[in-house]
Amino acid sequence: MAETGNGLPVPRGPLALLLTAAFLVSPLIFFTGLTRNPYYFQIALLNAAVLGAAALFLFYSVRRGRWLMPSTHLSRPLGVLALVYVVSFVWSWFGHAPFFHPAMASEGFKAGLFFLVNCLAVFYLSLSVPYAGEEAPVSAGKWLFFILGWGSLWILFPWLKGPAVGDAFFDRFFDPYGFLVWVTGITAAWLLVRRCRQEDILHLGLSAGVLASLYGILQYFHLELVWGKLLNPYGNRSVSTFGNPNFVSTYAVMFLPFTLSLLMKADTAVKRVFYSFALFSLTGMLMASLTRSSWLGAAVAVSFLFVFGSQRAQLKANGRFLYPLLAALLLFVVFWPSDNLKPFSSGLAERVEEAASGIKSPSAVSLSGDHGRVYASFHQRLLIWASAWQMGLQNPLLGNGWGQFELFYPFFQGRLLVNYPAIRGLRTHANNAHDEVLEQFSQSGILGLGAYLWFLTALFAGFLRFYRSAGEEARYSAVPLAAGLAGALADNTINVSIHFAVPALAFWWLAGALALRTSGARQRAPWRRPAAGAAAAWALIAFCALGARVWERQMAREFYFFRGFREARTGPITAAIDSLTAAWKADPHEVNCDYEYGNAYVRAGDLEKGVWAYTQALRANPGYDEIFFNRAIVLKRLGRTDEALKDLQLSSFINPLNPMTWHALAEIYLGMPDKAAAAAAALKDLPEAVSIFPQDAELWNAEGYFYTVLKEYKRAREAYIDGVHADPDNPALDENLFGVSRQLGIKDDAALEWLRSYRSLSGSVETSAPSKAELARADVLVAEAPASAKARLLRAKLYFRAGKLDEAKADLQALLAENDSDNQARYGLAVIYEKEGRNDLAREQWERFLQQEPGNAAVRERLKALR
């Protein structure tokens, strides 16, 4: 078979259609009523399209008797990287207990499929699509007409879309008007890219980015043109059609230098209009996302662009047009409104100032925070980085196992949360390391990181060699590709976006396009052993078909899971179980689906099947403490207390911050027939519990009880004293402290005297203004038990009634600094702010109060009055 017109060895029409699906439909399509993750369909479609394009090349490889995807000098580092990933996974497999193996296989399969399809296949597809050469250039006017014309059709969607007529997949998927719009858009895009040149595909990706950007900008200003209500899962940070503001912002970063370079070379009015429009759209999306890592990436990308003389010369040559336009762009960025849309505000200034105030001293750059104060955006990443570093240190050479980050991350995070109280409110379930170096090191060690850096070094070194020797036109067109990649890598020093489908598509396609431009691609010679080559190609085609089938099953799982999720909350539980059963049969390896399946069985009263479903969830991913906790509660109800105890211990290890887990553990220990053995076992767990929850009197009481069982009365007394300080109004602790003091022969116990003094003051606080003597007694209470939140709260009340607002405020602020969920302290602080006339601060405290107690009508009325 002869090569097609522009050097492609496969039919251009089918390839153009598949690339249109990947670059246009996938980034822009999402369904809010189809799957729980509205963007799951785009991920499945992207993977299916890439696999289809790869299968197309493989099929024609069989027909021509040679591999049609070309080779490159970058194949060697990519091959070594793939090999290290495999060795890392195998080493980790044998280094972990068999309990983890099902989940490791599931996570490893997902990571391997992502690397093969979203990374390698995209890279080699890009390497296979030639540049235009002497052919007719891209028509900027046609792309502008496509964006404006097709984009305007969506304006009518809210009024012309039809309601879902049923709950089946097709009923929720298909809409007549939406179908017509999509057919129109796909046809128009296909006509524009049917020649399948690099320039066409890059413009297709750019146009999708511009359309997504325009939609995201409208979202930022609370204008929703597609759905019936505004979608803002990240506050006012626009997600556009990408599912996450961090994803769409990285996509914009990668196409920003490409757009700017084409604008600088624009020699017609239409080109200037189109590329100016695209430049402002992408920049507006960057600002609407409020993603600071992407702002850093954009700064690096643009700076990289102008390091090279070819770009600077072109800027100067077209300066009369460009300088005013870039000045306007700078003003556009500086005066972009903050997320509250207040007039004359600056989103750029506010986000930068927020970061600067959150990390304003060297001591803030630690897990301890700045004297206990943390900045959530930064310190949560610091928590993830610390966990990722510890993962890598387990095996510095090969890491903790490729693809295993999400699985094992919670087991590292838990210990850090215990040791650093300031960050306990930042607990998360991280999918990735949020830093490219740590991403590679944590999972594949020094060897994986080295191979990854080898690939990037070879890619950029090839670009630099090419730049020094190529002609002016060729070197000019290569720079923006390298700049886009540099910007994405800079962005991902504190981001995670290029490990998700659509940004990864853009990243690896740009990498392939840069490699093709700067190093060329070597065509493969005919197979020396045609039968063996054909067999290998057919095996790879079968892999592509199997991969597409996997994504089809995952899509079915997500659909049935979401239906079951809704039915579990609104419909009969039997219907939910039927839907969740269908989801599990489609793909049993999704932890959230299996967990919901277990919850449904428990609600239906089928406890044994509930245990089975929770076990399936743990086989998918045992990194979720709530699965262990729920299974333990069900096992306890079934009388299988030994199994329940093990689950609760694992749950407390993964998440030591859940007090219910510790209470359930204590309850099981208390119910054991062998009291001495139970006490000895309990006292291995409870000391950590009370260190994390020093104000939990019930845990202190349980610890004191177990010490009395072992006749360790001194330690029992210490536990009861701490319990009394935590909750002086608990009569059980009062009796237990009295009893153990009598057992030790202590007369006039100071701890009991402290308790009597507290109760005396507590009884008088509401009756009259406190005397100086009573204030002095309150000071003594706090001095003798500085860890007692109740004593400090009592003193704050006495100060308030005595008119000493500053002293009361200091106590309350200190309590909130230690425990931000202490709404008693928050209530008092808000009242003081009102009394001082500082209504802005009072409003802030009332709003935070309602975040924790949204049903408190009295507080809601006070907030309404202030507004």
Side-chain angles (χ1 to χ4, degrees):
M1 173 186 172
E3 290 184 345
T4 56
N6 65 347
L8 267 174
V10 299
R12 290 177 295 172
L15 181 61
L17 185 61
L18 289 165
L19 293 178
T20 299
F23 277 95
L24 177 74
V25 184
S26 177
L28 298 179
I29 194 168
F30 63 100
F31 296 91
T32 58
L34 195 64
T35 55
R36 191 176 180 189
N37 175 353
Y39 311 91
Y40 205 88
F41 180 79
Q42 67 177 216
I43 302 170
L45 175 65
L46 188 153
N47 279 269
V50 171
L51 286 165
L56 189 66
F57 275 87
L58 291 166
F59 176 75
Y60 281 94
S61 293
V62 174
R63 295 188 62 176
R64 300 196 59 180
R66 65 182 176 89
W67 298 113
L68 297 185
M69 282 190 176
S71 64
T72 168
H73 72 288
L74 296 169
S75 297
R76 184 171 296 174
L78 285 174
V80 171
L81 181 61
L83 178 62
V84 173
Y85 285 168
V86 171
V87 173
S88 169
F89 174 80
V90 171
W91 187 271
S92 179
W93 177 277
F94 288 106
H96 284 92
F99 169 78
F100 290 104
H101 287 174
M104 291 181 69
S106 176
E107 294 297 307
F109 176 77
K110 286 190 288 187
L113 193 62
F114 183 89
F115 181 66
L116 290 173
V117 179
N118 293 77
C119 304
L120 293 186
V122 171
F123 175 79
Y124 282 101
L125 282 171
S126 179
L127 200 67
S128 305
V129 175
Y131 283 93
E134 299 300 322
E135 293 184 31
V138 171
S139 172
K142 291 179 179 178
W143 282 109
L144 178 61
F145 180 76
F146 168 73
I147 290 171
L148 296 177
W150 188 62
S152 64
L153 295 178
W154 287 105
I155 297 175
L156 301 175
F157 182 74
W159 292 275
L160 297 180
K161 68 177 180 179
V165 295
D167 207 30
F169 182 88
F170 185 80
D171 297 329
R172 290 189 169 271
F173 177 83
F174 182 79
D175 175 79
Y177 180 73
F179 175 75
L180 290 174
V181 174
W182 274 115
V183 168
T184 302
I186 292 169
T187 303
W190 179 84
L191 290 171
L192 287 169
V193 302
R194 67 186 185 279
R195 290 174 294 184
C196 276
R197 307 171 305 177
Q198 275 290 349
E199 292 88 345
D200 298 321
I201 306 306
L202 290 171
H203 274 77
L204 179 63
L206 169 62
S207 297
V210 171
L211 285 162
S213 296
L214 293 171
Y215 182 50
I217 292 168
L218 291 173
Q219 279 183 330
Y220 191 80
F221 290 98
H222 300 170
L223 297 172
E224 177 55 66
L225 298 183
V226 176
W227 302 105
K229 63 178 181 179
L230 190 68
L231 303 177
N232 53 356
Y234 294 85
N236 205 38
R237 297 182 62 200
S238 294
V239 301
S240 184
T241 60
F242 277 59
N244 190 309
N246 295 359
F247 299 169
V248 66
S249 62
T250 300
Y251 192 93
V253 166
M254 286 187 275
F255 280 97
L256 198 65
F258 176 72
T259 307
L260 184 53
S261 288
L262 290 172
L263 174 63
M264 292 192 299
K265 282 187 72 72
D267 53 6
T268 66
V270 172
K271 289 181 180 179
R272 288 180 172 181
V273 169
F274 173 57
Y275 294 119
S276 297
F277 178 66
L279 182 66
F280 273 84
S281 298
L282 294 174
T283 304
M285 185 66 250
L286 275 172
M287 302 310 298
S289 73
L290 298 177
T291 306
R292 285 167 297 202
S293 66
S294 294
W295 295 353
L296 170 65
V300 169
V302 173
S303 300
F304 187 101
L305 194 72
F306 290 113
V307 163
F308 296 92
S310 58
Q311 263 61 22
R312 294 198 304 272
Q314 189 61 48
L315 175 64
K316 186 176 180 181
N318 207 1
R320 180 177 294 183
F321 163 69
L322 289 171
Y323 290 148
L325 185 138
L326 294 179
L329 185 68
L330 181 62
L331 292 174
F332 179 73
V333 169
V334 171
F335 291 104
W336 183 269
S338 63
D339 58 346
N340 56 27
L341 302 183
K342 288 182 179 178
F344 309 110
S345 62
S346 170
L348 176 68
E350 286 196 11
R351 288 288 279 174
V352 172
E353 191 278 332
E354 177 190 322
S357 62
I359 316 170
K360 58 186 177 183
S361 69
S363 61
V365 189
S366 75
L367 292 175
S368 300
D370 186 2
H371 298 93
R373 294 188 298 272
V374 297
Y375 176 47
S377 295
F378 171 74
H379 284 91
Q380 189 173 75
R381 277 180 170 77
L382 199 61
L383 170 62
I384 296 171
W385 295 338
S387 299
W389 178 248
Q390 290 183 349
M391 278 189 199
L393 290 181
Q394 272 206 336
N395 184 352
L397 198 63
L398 288 169
N400 201 46
W402 178 250
Q404 307 305 307
F405 188 92
E406 181 179 1
L407 171 58
F408 290 117
Y409 170 80
F411 294 91
F412 290 85
Q413 175 184 240
R415 297 306 92 198
L416 291 170
L417 295 173
V418 170
N419 295 328
Y420 295 94
I423 59 169
R424 288 177 182 173
L426 305 179
R427 180 179 175 268
T428 184
H429 197 96
N431 303 96
N432 299 86
H434 288 72
D435 174 83
E436 275 302 281
V437 172
L438 288 172
E439 179 76 18
Q440 301 297 326
F441 174 69
S442 63
Q443 298 179 84
S444 58
I446 295 171
L447 291 180
L449 176 60
Y452 186 72
L453 294 177
W454 179 16
F455 164 73
L456 292 177
T457 301
L459 178 64
F460 280 94
F463 158 71
L464 292 174
R465 285 194 302 271
F466 175 83
Y467 186 84
R468 287 194 293 266
S469 60
E472 189 64 31
E473 181 67 26
R475 71 199 321 195
Y476 184 88
S477 63
V479 172
L481 302 176
L485 293 171
L489 290 169
D491 181 356
N492 276 257
T493 57
I494 47 178
N495 199 351
V496 69
S497 51
I498 61 173
H499 295 281
F500 288 82
V502 176
L505 171 74
F507 181 86
W508 286 94
W509 189 276
L510 286 180
L514 179 63
L516 178 63
R517 170 64 78 190
T518 59
S519 304
R522 297 186 294 272
Q523 297 299 319
R524 304 293 184 87
W527 290 327
R528 292 182 180 179
R529 298 179 180 178
W538 281 114
L540 290 172
I541 290 172
F543 170 80
C544 292
L546 177 62
R549 173 64 174 171
V550 166
W551 278 105
E552 183 271 328
R553 298 311 295 161
Q554 290 191 63
M555 186 64 211
R557 177 204 70 209
E558 288 297 305
F559 170 74
Y560 287 117
F561 167 43
F562 189 41
R563 189 165 76 178
F565 181 84
R566 295 194 309 268
E567 289 167 341
R569 286 150 181 78
T570 60
I573 198 64
T574 52
I577 290 174
D578 290 342
S579 294
L580 292 167
T581 300
W584 183 84
K585 287 180 178 178
D587 176 23
H589 305 298
E590 212 292 314
V591 62
N592 296 292
C593 178
D594 296 346
Y595 176 62
E596 192 68 32
Y597 198 15
N599 291 340
Y601 272 130
V602 172
R603 284 185 57 195
D606 196 334
L607 302 187
E608 289 289 356
K609 284 189 177 179
V611 170
W612 171 83
Y614 287 141
T615 303
Q616 296 302 303
L618 293 173
R619 286 173 61 84
N621 188 333
Y624 289 84
D625 64 285
E626 54 264 50
I627 305 174
F628 283 109
F629 179 83
N630 282 18
R631 191 173 73 166
I633 299 305
V634 177
L635 287 168
K636 184 174 178 293
R637 290 172 63 185
L638 291 170
R640 295 155 64 178
T641 53
D642 289 344
E643 296 173 73
L645 181 62
K646 291 178 182 177
D647 275 1
L648 289 171
Q649 288 172 329
L650 279 167
S651 181
S652 68
F653 183 82
I654 296 170
N655 178 17
L657 306 184
N658 183 1
M660 291 190 297
T661 304
W662 298 111
H663 283 282
L665 266 172
E667 187 177 338
I668 287 181
Y669 286 128
L670 288 167
M672 287 183 174
D674 188 339
K675 300 302 181 184
L683 291 172
K684 293 179 181 178
D685 290 326
L686 290 179
E688 180 171 88
V690 295
S691 71
I692 298 170
F693 299 104
Q695 303 302 325
D696 192 322
E698 293 301 325
L699 290 175
W700 285 116
N701 200 22
E703 185 179 75
Y705 167 77
F706 288 122
Y707 278 126
T708 60
V709 169
L710 297 178
K711 295 183 170 51
E712 296 186 33
Y713 297 118
K714 287 185 178 180
R715 299 185 74 174
R717 178 175 177 271
E718 292 170 1
Y720 288 138
I721 289 173
D722 286 328
V724 162
H725 289 165
D727 186 5
D729 299 313
N730 189 315
L733 278 164
D734 185 355
E735 292 175 12
N736 290 340
L737 177 59
F738 178 80
V740 79
S741 296
R742 186 172 57 183
Q743 184 73 35
L744 290 168
I746 299 174
K747 296 181 179 180
D748 301 324
D749 191 333
L752 290 171
E753 180 57 36
W754 183 94
L755 182 58
R756 284 190 287 270
S757 180
Y758 172 89
R759 290 180 176 173
S760 172
L761 283 175
S762 181
S764 65
V765 69
E766 302 295 343
T767 58
S768 59
S771 65
K772 290 184 178 180
E774 287 176 319
L775 290 175
R777 284 169 59 198
D779 289 337
V780 171
L781 283 178
V782 173
E784 291 179 353
S788 173
K790 289 289 185 72
R792 285 186 287 168
L793 184 64
L794 174 61
R795 185 173 69 172
K797 291 179 179 178
L798 291 167
Y799 277 144
F800 178 80
R801 292 189 64 80
K804 298 190 172 196
L805 299 186
D806 289 340
E807 291 85 344
K809 188 164 55 179
D811 268 343
L812 296 172
Q813 288 170 336
L815 286 170
L816 285 171
E818 294 174 12
N819 179 14
D820 191 60
S821 63
D822 187 345
N823 263 0
Q824 280 189 294
R826 175 160 286 116
Y827 189 101
L829 186 60
V831 169
I832 290 175
Y833 283 143
E834 284 188 13
K835 197 173 183 68
E836 292 177 335
R838 303 169 71 179
N839 290 347
D840 54 338
L841 295 178
R843 278 195 300 270
E844 179 184 346
Q845 294 303 323
W846 290 133
E847 286 168 355
R848 294 175 72 179
F849 188 108
L850 289 172
Q851 287 174 5
Q852 297 178 60
E853 295 183 40
N856 193 309
V859 169
R860 194 170 295 280
E861 285 300 315
R862 295 193 76 138
L863 179 60
K864 184 178 178 181
L866 284 178
R867 284 173 173 166

